[in-house]
Amino acid sequence: MTIRVMLVDDQVLLRTGFRMVLAAQPDMEVVAEAGDGVEALQVLRSTAVDVVLMDVRMPKLDGVETTRRICQEENPPKVLILTTFDLDEYAFSGLKAGASGFMLKDVPPAELLHAIRAVHSGDAVVAPSTTRRLLDRFAPMLPSAGKEPQHKELERLTDREREVMVLVAQGLSNGEIAARLVLSEATVKTHVGRILTKLGLRDRVQVVVLAYETGLVRAGGHG
């Protein structure tokens, strides 16, 4: 199955570089490009896309707002935010807007390709530990940082599910959580699935973001 990719970036040279990397892959095809968010939304109305590589700083409509609008559509493509170290706050906003993860613009080609395949398969491509470091930096800016958990949906979780959610937010994989709680990995996967369903979240990245926003996990990664 070919992964249909769209490149959204106002730098033509950067799009050309990404296109060359992706064109060499037997399972990927660049089906569309756009130089800003407005153009991207127009193109998506008539083009079937699986994964969007989204720049954040663009004219007319930035990548964060474009991501938000894309993710509000029915059956939207997955969005992978492209950022630089000095734009981490945009990456955070992008995750909140619905992106499945973020990558640095100077990422090695092999990592970019792995990320696109992971997003396409339904995984969040950002390691939760990376997301946690990002949120540690911006946790003081979050409205509920430092308070007791304020998200009423958290009350729907069982004690075990809350325990699993904290460990997910601290960056542990299903296997590591299974070892910590002396459960099978399949059981942990079931718990994670229930957490996503009960809280209306799409992936592990959103679990991490919500855990910080509600104060379930504090800066430094401690619940």
Side-chain angles (χ1 to χ4, degrees), residues 116-128:
I116 292 171
R117 292 184 181 106
V119 160
H120 182 249
S121 71
D123 290 337
V125 304
V126 174

Side-chain angles (χ1 to χ4, degrees), residues 144 148-156 162 165 198-199 201 210 213-215:
S144 56
E148 289 305 305
Q150 297 294 322
H151 201 272
K152 63 181 181 181
E153 278 79 0
L154 293 181
E155 295 171 7
R156 299 176 186 170
R162 283 173 73 102
M165 183 174 176
K198 287 183 178 182
L199 301 182
L201 304 177
L210 182 62
E213 287 191 313
T214 59

Side-chain angles (χ1 to χ4, degrees), residues 22 100 145 183 194 213:
L22 301 185
S100 293
L183 299 170
R194 286 178 181 156
E213 287 191 313

Side-chain angles (χ1 to χ4, degrees), residues 194-213:
R194 286 178 181 156
I195 291 166
L196 296 177
T197 300
K198 287 183 178 182
L199 301 182
L201 304 177
R202 192 189 54 254
D203 55 38
R204 296 171 80 96
V205 168
Q206 293 195 331
V207 171
V208 180
V209 172
L210 182 62
Y212 269 77
E213 287 191 313

Side-chain angles (χ1 to χ4, degrees), residues 158-168 177 181 195:
T158 65
D159 290 344
R160 176 64 91 187
E161 287 164 354
R162 283 173 73 102
E163 198 174 7
V164 170
M165 183 174 176
V166 168
L167 295 176
V168 167
I177 294 171
L181 300 180
I195 291 166

Side-chain angles (χ1 to χ4, degrees), residues 9 11 14 18 54-57 81-92 102-107 134 137-138:
D9 197 300
Q11 297 182 49
L14 204 64
F18 283 138
M54 181 73 70
D55 186 24
V56 282
R57 279 193 166 175
I81 295 281
L82 296 172
T83 185
T84 54
F85 276 120
D86 62 330
L87 293 179
D88 274 349
E89 64 270 27
Y90 289 96
F92 172 62
F102 64 91
M103 301 290 290
L104 297 175
K105 279 194 173 184
D106 58 357
V107 64
L134 174 72
R137 178 175 163 189
F138 293 102

